[in-house]
Amino acid sequence: GFSQLGLMRIWTETYAFDDKKRALLTSLGFQEDGILRNNYFIGGKWWNSIVISQVSTDYFSKAESD
């Protein structure tokens, strides 16, 4: 996305109950941008949504250090 499309930010939304997805994204260099409280209703309960992203400058600095 950064190299081929020239994007500045790649982001996604995950949910408070999805610890495995958040751990994977964090291991790939994504950082939490914010929380949307009580944004997703499933199983009779409201859950927070977590907006998580990576920006190109962080991606390229990590690639250079690897």
Side-chain angles (χ1 to χ4, degrees), residues 2 6-10 54-62:
F2 297 124
L7 298 177
M8 174 57 190
R9 174 185 313 274
I10 297 173
Q54 187 172 43
V55 293
S56 63
T57 50
D58 292 343
Y59 173 80
F60 288 117
S61 351
K62 183 180 180 206

Side-chain angles (χ1 to χ4, degrees), residues 5 11-13 15 18 23-24 30-31 37 40 43-44 46-47:
L5 300 175
W11 71 276
T12 187
E13 177 182 352
Y15 306 107
D18 199 347
L24 171 65
F30 283 70
Q31 296 181 25
R37 297 179 298 150
Y40 183 65
W46 284 99
W47 294 88

Side-chain angles (χ1 to χ4, degrees), residues 28-47:
L28 295 172
F30 283 70
Q31 296 181 25
E32 187 177 303
D33 290 325
I35 297 173
L36 303 172
R37 297 179 298 150
N38 296 327
N39 191 54
Y40 183 65
F41 188 79
I42 188 170
K45 182 176 177 182
W46 284 99
W47 294 88

